[in-house]
Amino acid sequence: MLLAIDCGNTNTVFSIWDGEQFLATWRASTEWQRTADQYYVWLSTLMNLHKLDVQIDEVIVSSTVPRVVFNLRVLADRYFNTRPLVVGRPDCALPVEPRVDEGTTIGPDRLVNTAGAFDRHGGDLVVVDFGTATTFDVVAHDGAYVGGVIAPGVNLSLEALHNAAAALPHVDISKPQKVIGTNTVACMQSGVFWGYIGLVKEICARIKGEYGRGMQVISTGGLAPLFQQSEALFDAFEDDLTMHGLTVIHNYNKGL
């Protein structure tokens, strides 16, 4: 049984994969101080609550927070008696190597999204991930990651507004009823919502123009469905794209 772990800047997701489907998926806040023992107590408690009597014997990790990886390695070694695959490390092969500037370090989450999106949709893609940052990943016809764009995340932008302007409150992101806000909260929600609609449309249009051939736009991340409400921004939405990409990379390495 495979334990797939995706550690992002905000949350860490754990999914159990039986070779055909995810049996369970759980989310925890990302904290580099959390020990392997704490991970195991939390994870085993959830498995017991869900009556999951399974034996985990393989682990794959994608982490954008390097300091977390050590304790996840210890977790795999101490409690599951296995050495984990860590995406981005030399011993974890990718189905297709990226084609970017020499010496460039690519976020493991972007490599995993590329593998998952290519497996489900083929090549010539733009993958838009609404995470802590909003990323745009370009997937070539053969499944290679060939570059992209990084923009501030939606919640990061809202937090920056609140922190930089003392009079502006914390607000939740939602689709406003009107573009012209008639109170502070409505004005902020309109600016962020329609600002990101414009950002996604413009960046995707420019990527397509520069790429020079037809492309599908695939979205992932919790806020993607919200932005899809208003405009036909995406050709498809994948709520488990990163976790699926981890299973694709794991299967590829098993076959080597």
Side-chain angles (χ1 to χ4, degrees):
M1 203 72 67
L2 173 68
L3 175 63
I5 305 173
D6 171 42
C7 177
N9 291 296
T10 304
N11 292 316
T12 301
V13 180
F14 295 75
S15 290
I16 297 176
W17 173 257
D18 70 356
E20 296 183 358
Q21 62 180 340
F22 289 110
L23 300 180
T25 296
W26 301 294
R27 206 175 274 268
S29 59
T30 298
E31 297 178 9
W32 68 266
Q33 303 96 328
R34 187 172 284 139
T35 67
D37 301 326
Q38 288 174 310
Y39 278 123
Y40 182 72
V41 169
W42 174 80
L43 190 60
S44 59
T45 300
L46 286 170
M47 290 173 66
N48 288 333
L49 284 172
H50 287 76
K51 296 181 172 57
L52 278 178
D53 185 16
V54 297
Q55 181 177 350
I56 293 170
D57 51 16
E58 295 175 298
V59 178
I60 185 169
V61 177
S62 167
S63 178
T64 58
V65 186
R67 297 177 78 178
V68 173
V69 174
F70 173 77
N71 281 317
L72 292 176
R73 282 184 177 274
V74 175
L75 170 71
D77 178 62
R78 180 179 298 167
Y79 291 104
F80 305 126
N81 194 32
T82 185
R83 180 180 180 181
L85 274 173
V86 180
V87 178
R89 299 293 171 89
D91 61 343
C92 181
L94 299 172
V96 184
E97 287 300 311
R99 294 194 291 273
V100 294
D101 294 344
E102 187 175 350
T104 298
T105 300
I106 305 165
D109 54 331
R110 308 182 81 177
L111 298 173
V112 171
N113 283 348
T114 294
F118 181 72
D119 184 67
R120 285 182 170 170
H121 300 279
D124 298 329
L125 306 174
V126 182
V127 180
V128 185
D129 188 352
F130 291 90
T132 305
T134 301
T135 58
F136 300 74
D137 301 324
V138 180
V139 184
H141 67 281
D142 61 349
Y145 171 86
V146 294
V149 176
I150 301 175
V154 178
N155 289 318
L156 197 62
S157 296
L158 283 169
E159 191 67 23
L161 273 177
H162 171 72
N163 289 336
L168 297 181
H170 281 290
V171 299
D172 293 326
I173 181 63
S174 63
K175 180 184 177 182
Q177 295 183 345
K178 300 182 297 181
V179 175
I180 302 173
T182 53
N183 57 67
T184 301
V185 170
C187 289
M188 292 175 68
Q189 288 177 331
S190 182
V192 171
F193 182 85
W194 292 111
Y196 271 85
I197 290 285
L199 180 145
V200 172
K201 290 177 70 173
E202 182 68 14
I203 289 179
C204 286
R206 288 183 175 272
I207 288 174
K208 290 177 181 179
E210 192 171 291
Y211 192 73
R213 58 196 297 175
M215 305 180 80
Q216 293 185 80
V217 181
I218 313 301
S219 69
T220 191
L223 290 176
L226 171 66
F227 290 104
Q228 183 70 356
Q229 286 181 37
S230 175
E231 307 276 334
L233 294 176
F234 315 117
D235 296 293
F237 165 66
E238 298 284 358
D239 63 348
D240 65 344
L241 185 64
T242 304
M243 306 314 290
H244 177 68
L246 284 170
T247 68
V248 171
I249 292 174
H250 176 262
N251 287 338
Y252 178 75
N253 280 267
K254 280 187 70 174
L256 294 178

